Amino acid sequence: MTIPPRLRVAAYVLRRTPGGPELLVFDHVDFPEAGTQVPAGGMEPGETPTQAAVREVAEETGLTGVEAVTELGVSEWPHPVTGRARRTTYVQLQVTGRTAGDWTHRVAGDGEDGGLRFACRFVPLPLAGRLADHQDEFLDRIDPAWLASAGS
């Protein structure tokens, strides 16, 4: 019997600045070896990928002023530690209000991320380096027109 893949989302949260587009990323304060990541996590029963992406952004970063732009693609990479099959839908979101440039957020609740602290920040695109766990694999699918309008 084959175990179905865990359904997940990864969120590319973008904001427009006079200097160009920026992407929301974070580092685990207590586990820096996890690398720089974007908000991501499992989908709950009945959620669409867009709904899950908005929820994961709020849970992992505290940022609630976002709206979905589009789904960019689906990847299938096993979990880097457990090897469990995962199917991740990448969703592009945009910031709808003002945000800080960087902040630290503690995840509330008693879920698997509960109590974790994330050092959040916006970084310019294109990225200077790679994201952990192949999370940068769909950045090239962001609509060039959206990126161009971010600098205007």
Side-chain angles (χ1 to χ4, degrees):
M1 178 168 142
T2 303
I3 298 173
R6 179 175 182 227
L7 300 180
R8 305 177 69 250
V9 294
Y12 291 157
V13 180
L14 301 170
R15 73 174 182 178
R16 292 176 166 102
T17 72
E22 295 181 333
L23 174 70
L24 175 62
V25 299
F26 65 78
D27 293 293
H28 289 264
V29 173
D30 303 309
F31 303 99
E33 66 276 8
T36 301
Q37 302 176 39
V38 296
M43 291 177 57
E44 295 180 357
E47 272 186 322
T48 66
T50 297
Q51 291 167 331
V54 170
R55 178 184 49 76
E56 284 292 336
V57 168
E59 287 177 5
E60 293 187 349
T61 71
L63 185 60
T64 57
V66 298
E67 65 184 12
V69 176
T70 191
E71 291 182 20
L72 298 170
V74 177
S75 72
E76 299 207 22
W77 289 97
H79 188 279
V81 176
T82 67
R84 180 174 176 197
R86 303 178 301 171
R87 181 174 294 136
T88 305
T89 301
Y90 284 77
V91 180
Q92 178 185 338
L93 299 105
Q94 64 186 4
V95 173
T96 58
R98 298 179 63 85
T99 62
D102 59 84
W103 66 96
T104 300
H105 177 73
R106 182 181 297 276
V107 178
D110 57 2
E112 67 182 52
D113 289 348
L116 292 178
R117 294 180 300 153
F118 298 134
C120 307
R121 66 190 181 284
F122 281 92
V123 296
L125 288 176
L127 293 179
R130 304 294 311 259
L131 295 175
D133 196 22
H134 309 281
Q135 288 184 337
D136 47 11
E137 70 180 315
F138 288 109
L139 285 173
D140 63 345
R141 294 193 181 178
I142 295 170
D143 182 357
W146 193 98
L147 292 172
S149 69
S152 55

CSV table of all heavy atoms in Angstrom, one decimal, residues 45-106:
chain,number,residue,atom,x,y,z
A,45,PRO,N,-7.8,19.8,5.8
A,45,PRO,CA,-8.9,19.2,5.0
A,45,PRO,C,-9.9,20.3,4.5
A,45,PRO,O,-10.2,21.2,5.3
A,45,PRO,CB,-9.6,18.3,6.0
A,45,PRO,CG,-8.5,17.9,6.9
A,45,PRO,CD,-7.6,19.1,7.0
A,46,GLY,N,-10.2,20.3,3.2
A,46,GLY,CA,-11.2,21.3,2.7
A,46,GLY,C,-10.5,22.6,2.2
A,46,GLY,O,-11.2,23.4,1.6
A,47,GLU,N,-9.3,22.8,2.5
A,47,GLU,CA,-8.6,24.1,2.1
A,47,GLU,C,-8.2,24.0,0.7
A,47,GLU,O,-7.7,23.0,0.2
A,47,GLU,CB,-7.4,24.3,2.9
A,47,GLU,CG,-7.5,25.1,4.2
A,47,GLU,CD,-6.2,25.4,4.9
A,47,GLU,OE1,-5.3,24.6,4.8
A,47,GLU,OE2,-6.1,26.5,5.4
A,48,THR,N,-8.3,25.2,0.0
A,48,THR,CA,-7.7,25.3,-1.3
A,48,THR,C,-6.2,25.7,-1.1
A,48,THR,O,-5.8,26.1,0.0
A,48,THR,CB,-8.3,26.4,-2.2
A,48,THR,OG1,-8.1,27.6,-1.5
A,48,THR,CG2,-9.8,26.1,-2.3
A,49,PRO,N,-5.3,25.5,-2.1
A,49,PRO,CA,-4.0,25.9,-1.9
A,49,PRO,C,-3.9,27.4,-1.6
A,49,PRO,O,-3.0,27.8,-0.7
A,49,PRO,CB,-3.3,25.6,-3.3
A,49,PRO,CG,-4.1,24.5,-3.8
A,49,PRO,CD,-5.5,24.8,-3.4
A,50,THR,N,-4.7,28.3,-2.2
A,50,THR,CA,-4.7,29.7,-1.9
A,50,THR,C,-5.0,30.0,-0.4
A,50,THR,O,-4.3,30.7,0.3
A,50,THR,CB,-5.6,30.4,-2.8
A,50,THR,OG1,-5.1,30.3,-4.1
A,50,THR,CG2,-5.7,31.9,-2.5
A,51,GLN,N,-6.1,29.3,0.1
A,51,GLN,CA,-6.5,29.5,1.5
A,51,GLN,C,-5.4,29.0,2.4
A,51,GLN,O,-5.1,29.7,3.4
A,51,GLN,CB,-7.8,28.7,1.8
A,51,GLN,CG,-9.0,29.3,1.1
A,51,GLN,CD,-10.2,28.3,1.1
A,51,GLN,OE1,-10.0,27.1,1.2
A,51,GLN,NE2,-11.4,28.9,1.1
A,52,ALA,N,-4.8,27.9,2.1
A,52,ALA,CA,-3.7,27.4,2.9
A,52,ALA,C,-2.5,28.3,2.9
A,52,ALA,O,-1.8,28.5,4.0
A,52,ALA,CB,-3.3,26.0,2.5
A,53,ALA,N,-2.2,28.9,1.8
A,53,ALA,CA,-1.0,29.8,1.7
A,53,ALA,C,-1.2,31.0,2.6
A,53,ALA,O,-0.3,31.4,3.3
A,53,ALA,CB,-0.7,30.2,0.2
A,54,VAL,N,-2.4,31.6,2.5
A,54,VAL,CA,-2.7,32.8,3.3
A,54,VAL,C,-2.6,32.4,4.8
A,54,VAL,O,-2.1,33.2,5.6
A,54,VAL,CB,-4.1,33.4,2.9
A,54,VAL,CG1,-4.6,34.4,3.9
A,54,VAL,CG2,-4.1,33.9,1.5
A,55,ARG,N,-3.2,31.3,5.2
A,55,ARG,CA,-3.1,30.8,6.6
A,55,ARG,C,-1.7,30.6,7.0
A,55,ARG,O,-1.3,31.1,8.1
A,55,ARG,CB,-4.0,29.6,6.7
A,55,ARG,CG,-3.9,29.0,8.2
A,55,ARG,CD,-4.6,27.7,8.3
A,55,ARG,NE,-4.3,26.7,7.3
A,55,ARG,CZ,-3.1,26.0,7.4
A,55,ARG,NH1,-2.2,26.2,8.3
A,55,ARG,NH2,-2.9,25.1,6.4
A,56,GLU,N,-0.9,29.9,6.2
A,56,GLU,CA,0.5,29.7,6.6
A,56,GLU,C,1.3,30.9,6.8
A,56,GLU,O,2.1,31.1,7.7
A,56,GLU,CB,1.2,28.7,5.6
A,56,GLU,CG,0.8,27.3,5.7
A,56,GLU,CD,1.2,26.6,6.9
A,56,GLU,OE1,2.2,27.0,7.5
A,56,GLU,OE2,0.6,25.6,7.3
A,57,VAL,N,1.1,31.9,5.9
A,57,VAL,CA,1.8,33.2,6.0
A,57,VAL,C,1.4,33.8,7.4
A,57,VAL,O,2.3,34.3,8.1
A,57,VAL,CB,1.4,34.2,4.9
A,57,VAL,CG1,1.9,35.6,5.1
A,57,VAL,CG2,2.0,33.6,3.6
A,58,ALA,N,0.1,33.9,7.7
A,58,ALA,CA,-0.3,34.5,9.0
A,58,ALA,C,0.3,33.7,10.2
A,58,ALA,O,0.8,34.3,11.1
A,58,ALA,CB,-1.8,34.5,9.1
A,59,GLU,N,0.3,32.4,10.1
A,59,GLU,CA,0.8,31.6,11.2
A,59,GLU,C,2.3,31.7,11.4
A,59,GLU,O,2.7,31.9,12.5
A,59,GLU,CB,0.4,30.1,11.0
A,59,GLU,CG,-1.0,29.7,11.2
A,59,GLU,CD,-1.3,28.3,10.9
A,59,GLU,OE1,-0.4,27.5,10.6
A,59,GLU,OE2,-2.5,27.9,11.0
A,60,GLU,N,3.0,31.7,10.3
A,60,GLU,CA,4.5,31.6,10.4
A,60,GLU,C,5.1,33.0,10.5
A,60,GLU,O,6.3,33.1,11.0
A,60,GLU,CB,5.1,30.8,9.3
A,60,GLU,CG,4.7,29.4,9.3
A,60,GLU,CD,5.4,28.5,8.3
A,60,GLU,OE1,6.0,29.0,7.4
A,60,GLU,OE2,5.3,27.3,8.4
A,61,THR,N,4.4,34.0,10.0
A,61,THR,CA,5.1,35.4,10.0
A,61,THR,C,4.2,36.4,10.8
A,61,THR,O,4.7,37.5,11.0
A,61,THR,CB,5.3,35.9,8.6
A,61,THR,OG1,4.0,36.2,8.0
A,61,THR,CG2,6.1,34.8,7.8
A,62,GLY,N,3.0,36.2,11.0
A,62,GLY,CA,2.1,37.2,11.6
A,62,GLY,C,1.5,38.1,10.6
A,62,GLY,O,0.7,39.0,11.0
A,63,LEU,N,1.9,38.1,9.4
A,63,LEU,CA,1.5,39.0,8.3
A,63,LEU,C,0.1,38.6,7.8
A,63,LEU,O,-0.1,37.4,7.3
A,63,LEU,CB,2.5,39.0,7.2
A,63,LEU,CG,2.3,40.0,6.1
A,63,LEU,CD1,2.3,41.4,6.6
A,63,LEU,CD2,3.4,39.8,5.0
A,64,THR,N,-0.9,39.5,7.9
A,64,THR,CA,-2.2,39.1,7.5
A,64,THR,C,-2.7,40.0,6.3
A,64,THR,O,-3.7,39.6,5.7
A,64,THR,CB,-3.2,39.3,8.7
A,64,THR,OG1,-3.1,40.7,9.1
A,64,THR,CG2,-2.9,38.4,9.8
A,65,GLY,N,-2.0,41.0,6.0
A,65,GLY,CA,-2.4,41.9,4.9
A,65,GLY,C,-1.8,41.4,3.5
A,65,GLY,O,-1.0,42.0,2.9
A,66,VAL,N,-2.3,40.2,3.1
A,66,VAL,CA,-1.9,39.6,1.8
A,66,VAL,C,-3.1,39.1,1.1
A,66,VAL,O,-4.2,38.8,1.6
A,66,VAL,CB,-0.9,38.4,2.0
A,66,VAL,CG1,0.3,38.9,2.7
A,66,VAL,CG2,-1.6,37.3,2.8
A,67,GLU,N,-2.9,39.1,-0.3
A,67,GLU,CA,-4.0,38.5,-1.1
A,67,GLU,C,-3.3,37.7,-2.2
A,67,GLU,O,-2.2,37.9,-2.6
A,67,GLU,CB,-4.9,39.6,-1.7
A,67,GLU,CG,-4.1,40.5,-2.7
A,67,GLU,CD,-5.0,41.6,-3.2
A,67,GLU,OE1,-6.1,41.9,-2.7
A,67,GLU,OE2,-4.6,42.3,-4.2
A,68,ALA,N,-4.0,36.6,-2.6
A,68,ALA,CA,-3.5,35.7,-3.6
A,68,ALA,C,-3.5,36.4,-5.0
A,68,ALA,O,-4.4,37.2,-5.3
A,68,ALA,CB,-4.4,34.5,-3.7
A,69,VAL,N,-2.4,36.1,-5.8
A,69,VAL,CA,-2.3,36.5,-7.1
A,69,VAL,C,-2.6,35.4,-8.1
A,69,VAL,O,-3.4,35.4,-8.9
A,69,VAL,CB,-0.9,37.1,-7.4
A,69,VAL,CG1,-0.7,37.5,-8.9
A,69,VAL,CG2,-0.7,38.4,-6.5
A,70,THR,N,-1.8,34.3,-7.9
A,70,THR,CA,-2.0,33.1,-8.7
A,70,THR,C,-1.2,31.9,-8.2
A,70,THR,O,-0.3,32.0,-7.3
A,70,THR,CB,-1.5,33.4,-10.2
A,70,THR,OG1,-1.9,32.3,-11.0
A,70,THR,CG2,0.0,33.5,-10.2
A,71,GLU,N,-1.6,30.7,-8.6
A,71,GLU,CA,-0.8,29.5,-8.3
A,71,GLU,C,0.2,29.4,-9.4
A,71,GLU,O,-0.1,29.5,-10.6
A,71,GLU,CB,-1.7,28.3,-8.3
A,71,GLU,CG,-2.7,28.2,-7.1
A,71,GLU,CD,-3.6,27.0,-7.1
A,71,GLU,OE1,-3.2,26.0,-7.7
A,71,GLU,OE2,-4.6,27.1,-6.4
A,72,LEU,N,1.4,29.1,-9.0
A,72,LEU,CA,2.6,29.1,-10.0
A,72,LEU,C,3.0,27.7,-10.4
A,72,LEU,O,3.6,27.5,-11.5
A,72,LEU,CB,3.8,29.7,-9.3
A,72,LEU,CG,3.6,31.2,-9.0
A,72,LEU,CD1,4.7,31.7,-8.1
A,72,LEU,CD2,3.4,32.0,-10.2
A,73,GLY,N,2.7,26.6,-9.7
A,73,GLY,CA,3.1,25.3,-10.0
A,73,GLY,C,3.1,24.4,-8.9
A,73,GLY,O,2.9,24.8,-7.7
A,74,VAL,N,3.3,23.1,-9.2
A,74,VAL,CA,3.3,22.0,-8.2
A,74,VAL,C,4.6,21.2,-8.3
A,74,VAL,O,5.0,20.9,-9.4
A,74,VAL,CB,2.1,21.1,-8.3
A,74,VAL,CG1,2.2,19.9,-7.3
A,74,VAL,CG2,0.8,21.9,-8.2
A,75,SER,N,5.2,21.0,-7.2
A,75,SER,CA,6.5,20.1,-7.2
A,75,SER,C,6.3,18.9,-6.3
A,75,SER,O,5.4,18.9,-5.4
A,75,SER,CB,7.7,21.0,-6.7
A,75,SER,OG,7.6,21.2,-5.3
A,76,GLU,N,7.1,18.0,-6.5
A,76,GLU,CA,7.1,16.8,-5.6
A,76,GLU,C,8.5,16.4,-5.2
A,76,GLU,O,9.3,15.8,-5.9
A,76,GLU,CB,6.5,15.6,-6.4
A,76,GLU,CG,5.0,15.9,-6.8
A,76,GLU,CD,4.1,14.7,-6.9
A,76,GLU,OE1,4.5,13.6,-6.3
A,76,GLU,OE2,3.1,14.8,-7.6
A,77,TRP,N,8.9,17.0,-4.1
A,77,TRP,CA,10.2,16.7,-3.4
A,77,TRP,C,9.9,16.0,-2.1
A,77,TRP,O,9.1,16.4,-1.4
A,77,TRP,CB,11.0,18.0,-3.1
A,77,TRP,CG,11.5,18.7,-4.3
A,77,TRP,CD1,10.9,19.7,-5.0
A,77,TRP,CD2,12.7,18.4,-5.0
A,77,TRP,NE1,11.7,20.1,-6.0
A,77,TRP,CE2,12.8,19.4,-6.1
A,77,TRP,CE3,13.7,17.5,-4.9
A,77,TRP,CZ2,13.8,19.4,-7.0
A,77,TRP,CZ3,14.8,17.5,-5.8
A,77,TRP,CH2,14.8,18.5,-6.8
A,78,PRO,N,10.6,14.9,-1.8
A,78,PRO,CA,10.4,14.3,-0.5
A,78,PRO,C,10.9,15.2,0.6
A,78,PRO,O,11.8,16.1,0.4
A,78,PRO,CB,11.3,13.0,-0.6
A,78,PRO,CG,12.3,13.3,-1.7
A,78,PRO,CD,11.7,14.3,-2.6
A,79,HIS,N,10.4,15.0,1.8
A,79,HIS,CA,10.9,15.7,3.0
A,79,HIS,C,12.4,15.5,3.1
A,79,HIS,O,12.9,14.3,3.0
A,79,HIS,CB,10.1,15.3,4.2
A,79,HIS,CG,10.4,16.1,5.4
A,79,HIS,ND1,11.5,16.0,6.2
A,79,HIS,CD2,9.7,17.1,5.9
A,79,HIS,CE1,11.5,16.9,7.1
A,79,HIS,NE2,10.4,17.6,7.0
A,80,PRO,N,13.2,16.5,3.4
A,80,PRO,CA,14.6,16.4,3.4
A,80,PRO,C,15.1,15.5,4.6
A,80,PRO,O,16.2,15.0,4.5
A,80,PRO,CB,15.1,17.8,3.5
A,80,PRO,CG,14.0,18.6,4.0
A,80,PRO,CD,12.8,17.9,3.5
A,81,VAL,N,14.4,15.4,5.6
A,81,VAL,CA,14.8,14.6,6.8
A,81,VAL,C,14.1,13.2,6.8
A,81,VAL,O,14.8,12.2,6.9
A,81,VAL,CB,14.5,15.3,8.1
A,81,VAL,CG1,14.9,14.5,9.3
A,81,VAL,CG2,15.3,16.7,8.1
A,82,THR,N,12.8,13.2,6.6
A,82,THR,CA,12.1,11.9,6.8
A,82,THR,C,12.0,11.2,5.5
A,82,THR,O,11.7,10.0,5.5
A,82,THR,CB,10.6,12.2,7.3
A,82,THR,OG1,9.9,12.9,6.3
A,82,THR,CG2,10.6,13.0,8.6
A,83,GLY,N,12.1,11.8,4.3
A,83,GLY,CA,12.0,11.2,3.1
A,83,GLY,C,10.5,11.0,2.6
A,83,GLY,O,10.2,10.4,1.6
A,84,ARG,N,9.6,11.4,3.5
A,84,ARG,CA,8.1,11.2,3.1
A,84,ARG,C,7.8,12.0,1.9
A,84,ARG,O,8.2,13.2,1.7
A,84,ARG,CB,7.3,11.7,4.3
A,84,ARG,CG,5.8,11.5,4.0
A,84,ARG,CD,4.9,11.8,5.2
A,84,ARG,NE,3.5,11.7,4.7
A,84,ARG,CZ,2.5,12.2,5.4
A,84,ARG,NH1,2.7,12.8,6.5
A,84,ARG,NH2,1.3,12.0,4.9
A,85,ALA,N,6.9,11.4,1.0
A,85,ALA,CA,6.5,12.1,-0.2
A,85,ALA,C,5.7,13.3,0.1
A,85,ALA,O,4.9,13.3,1.0
A,85,ALA,CB,5.7,11.1,-1.0
A,86,ARG,N,5.9,14.4,-0.6
A,86,ARG,CA,5.2,15.7,-0.5
A,86,ARG,C,4.9,16.2,-1.8
A,86,ARG,O,5.7,16.1,-2.8
A,86,ARG,CB,6.1,16.7,0.3
A,86,ARG,CG,6.6,16.3,1.6
A,86,ARG,CD,7.4,17.4,2.2
A,86,ARG,NE,8.6,17.7,1.4
A,86,ARG,CZ,9.4,18.7,1.6
A,86,ARG,NH1,9.2,19.5,2.6
A,86,ARG,NH2,10.4,18.9,0.8
A,87,ARG,N,3.7,16.8,-1.9
A,87,ARG,CA,3.3,17.5,-3.1
A,87,ARG,C,3.0,19.0,-2.7
A,87,ARG,O,2.0,19.2,-1.9
A,87,ARG,CB,2.0,16.9,-3.7
A,87,ARG,CG,1.5,17.6,-5.0
A,87,ARG,CD,0.4,16.9,-5.7
A,87,ARG,NE,0.9,15.6,-6.1
A,87,ARG,CZ,0.2,14.4,-6.0
A,87,ARG,NH1,-0.9,14.4,-5.4
A,87,ARG,NH2,0.7,13.3,-6.4
A,88,THR,N,3.8,19.9,-3.2
A,88,THR,CA,3.7,21.3,-2.8
A,88,THR,C,3.2,22.2,-3.9
A,88,THR,O,3.8,22.2,-5.0
A,88,THR,CB,5.1,21.8,-2.3
A,88,THR,OG1,5.6,20.9,-1.3
A,88,THR,CG2,5.0,23.2,-1.8
A,89,THR,N,2.2,22.9,-3.6
A,89,THR,CA,1.7,23.9,-4.6
A,89,THR,C,2.2,25.3,-4.2
A,89,THR,O,2.1,25.7,-3.0
A,89,THR,CB,0.1,24.0,-4.5
A,89,THR,OG1,-0.4,22.7,-4.9
A,89,THR,CG2,-0.4,25.0,-5.5
A,90,TYR,N,2.9,25.9,-5.1
A,90,TYR,CA,3.4,27.3,-4.9
A,90,TYR,C,2.4,28.3,-5.3
A,90,TYR,O,1.9,28.3,-6.4
A,90,TYR,CB,4.7,27.4,-5.7
A,90,TYR,CG,5.9,26.7,-5.1
A,90,TYR,CD1,6.0,25.3,-5.2
A,90,TYR,CD2,6.8,27.4,-4.3
A,90,TYR,CE1,7.0,24.6,-4.6
A,90,TYR,CE2,7.9,26.7,-3.7
A,90,TYR,CZ,8.0,25.3,-3.8
A,90,TYR,OH,9.0,24.7,-3.2
A,91,VAL,N,2.2,29.3,-4.4
A,91,VAL,CA,1.2,30.3,-4.6
A,91,VAL,C,1.9,31.7,-4.4
A,91,VAL,O,2.6,31.9,-3.5
A,91,VAL,CB,0.1,30.2,-3.5
A,91,VAL,CG1,-1.0,31.3,-3.7
A,91,VAL,CG2,-0.6,28.8,-3.6
A,92,GLN,N,1.6,32.5,-5.4
A,92,GLN,CA,2.1,33.9,-5.4
A,92,GLN,C,1.1,34.8,-4.7
A,92,GLN,O,-0.1,34.7,-5.0
A,92,GLN,CB,2.4,34.5,-6.8
A,92,GLN,CG,2.8,35.9,-6.8
A,92,GLN,CD,3.0,36.5,-8.2
A,92,GLN,OE1,3.1,35.7,-9.1
A,92,GLN,NE2,2.9,37.8,-8.3
A,93,LEU,N,1.5,35.5,-3.7
A,93,LEU,CA,0.6,36.5,-2.9
A,93,LEU,C,1.3,37.8,-3.0
A,93,LEU,O,2.5,37.9,-3.2
A,93,LEU,CB,0.4,36.0,-1.5
A,93,LEU,CG,-0.2,34.7,-1.3
A,93,LEU,CD1,0.8,33.7,-0.9
A,93,LEU,CD2,-1.3,34.8,-0.2
A,94,GLN,N,0.5,38.9,-2.8
A,94,GLN,CA,1.1,40.2,-2.7
A,94,GLN,C,0.6,40.9,-1.4
A,94,GLN,O,-0.5,40.6,-0.9
A,94,GLN,CB,0.7,41.0,-3.9
A,94,GLN,CG,-0.8,41.3,-4.1
A,94,GLN,CD,-1.1,42.0,-5.4
A,94,GLN,OE1,-0.2,42.3,-6.2
A,94,GLN,NE2,-2.3,42.4,-5.6
A,95,VAL,N,1.4,41.7,-0.9
A,95,VAL,CA,1.1,42.5,0.3
A,95,VAL,C,0.1,43.6,-0.1
A,95,VAL,O,0.2,44.2,-1.1
A,95,VAL,CB,2.4,43.1,0.9
A,95,VAL,CG1,2.1,44.1,2.0
A,95,VAL,CG2,3.4,42.1,1.3
A,96,THR,N,-0.9,43.7,0.8
A,96,THR,CA,-2.0,44.7,0.5
A,96,THR,C,-1.8,46.0,1.3
A,96,THR,O,-2.6,46.9,1.1
A,96,THR,CB,-3.4,44.1,0.7
A,96,THR,OG1,-3.4,43.6,2.1
A,96,THR,CG2,-3.6,42.9,-0.2
A,97,GLY,N,-1.0,46.0,2.3
A,97,GLY,CA,-0.8,47.2,3.1
A,97,GLY,C,0.6,47.4,3.4
A,97,GLY,O,1.5,46.9,2.7
A,98,ARG,N,0.9,48.3,4.4
A,98,ARG,CA,2.3,48.6,4.8
A,98,ARG,C,2.8,47.5,5.6
A,98,ARG,O,2.1,46.9,6.4
A,98,ARG,CB,2.3,49.9,5.5
A,98,ARG,CG,1.8,51.1,4.6
A,98,ARG,CD,1.9,52.4,5.4
A,98,ARG,NE,3.2,52.8,5.8
A,98,ARG,CZ,4.1,53.4,5.0
A,98,ARG,NH1,3.7,53.8,3.8
A,98,ARG,NH2,5.3,53.8,5.5
A,99,THR,N,4.1,47.2,5.5
A,99,THR,CA,4.7,46.2,6.3
A,99,THR,C,6.1,46.7,6.8
A,99,THR,O,6.7,47.5,6.2
A,99,THR,CB,5.0,44.9,5.5
A,99,THR,OG1,5.8,45.2,4.4
A,99,THR,CG2,3.7,44.3,5.0
A,100,ALA,N,6.6,46.1,7.9
A,100,ALA,CA,7.9,46.4,8.3
A,100,ALA,C,8.9,45.7,7.4
A,100,ALA,O,8.5,44.8,6.6
A,100,ALA,CB,8.1,45.8,9.7
A,101,GLY,N,10.1,46.1,7.4
A,101,GLY,CA,11.1,45.5,6.5
A,101,GLY,C,11.6,44.2,7.1
A,101,GLY,O,12.0,43.3,6.4
A,102,ASP,N,11.6,44.1,8.5
A,102,ASP,CA,12.0,42.9,9.1
A,102,ASP,C,11.4,42.8,10.5
A,102,ASP,O,11.1,43.9,11.1
A,102,ASP,CB,13.6,42.7,9.2
A,102,ASP,CG,14.2,43.9,9.9
A,102,ASP,OD1,14.3,43.8,11.2
A,102,ASP,OD2,14.7,44.8,9.2
A,103,TRP,N,11.2,41.6,11.0
A,103,TRP,CA,10.6,41.5,12.4
A,103,TRP,C,10.8,40.0,12.8
A,103,TRP,O,11.1,39.1,12.0
A,103,TRP,CB,9.1,41.8,12.4
A,103,TRP,CG,8.2,40.9,11.5
A,103,TRP,CD1,7.5,39.8,12.0
A,103,TRP,CD2,8.0,41.0,10.1
A,103,TRP,NE1,6.8,39.3,10.9
A,103,TRP,CE2,7.1,39.9,9.8
A,103,TRP,CE3,8.4,41.9,9.1
A,103,TRP,CZ2,6.7,39.7,8.5
A,103,TRP,CZ3,8.0,41.6,7.8
A,103,TRP,CH2,7.1,40.6,7.5
A,104,THR,N,10.6,39.7,14.1
A,104,THR,CA,10.6,38.4,14.6
A,104,THR,C,9.2,38.0,15.0
A,104,THR,O,8.5,38.8,15.7
A,104,THR,CB,11.6,38.3,15.8
A,104,THR,OG1,12.9,38.6,15.3
A,104,THR,CG2,11.6,36.8,16.3
A,105,HIS,N,8.8,36.8,14.6
A,105,HIS,CA,7.5,36.3,15.0
A,105,HIS,C,7.6,35.0,15.7
A,105,HIS,O,8.3,34.1,15.3
A,105,HIS,CB,6.6,36.1,13.7
A,105,HIS,CG,5.3,35.6,13.9
A,105,HIS,ND1,4.3,36.3,14.5
A,105,HIS,CD2,4.8,34.4,13.7
A,105,HIS,CE1,3.2,35.6,14.6
A,105,HIS,NE2,3.4,34.4,14.1
A,106,ARG,N,6.8,34.8,16.8
A,106,ARG,CA,6.7,33.6,17.5
A,106,ARG,C,5.4,32.9,17.1
A,106,ARG,O,4.3,33.5,17.3
A,106,ARG,CB,6.8,33.7,19.0
A,106,ARG,CG,6.7,32.4,19.8
A,106,ARG,CD,6.7,32.5,21.3
A,106,ARG,NE,8.0,33.1,21.7
A,106,ARG,CZ,9.1,32.5,22.0
A,106,ARG,NH1,9.1,31.2,21.8
A,106,ARG,NH2,10.2,33.1,22.4
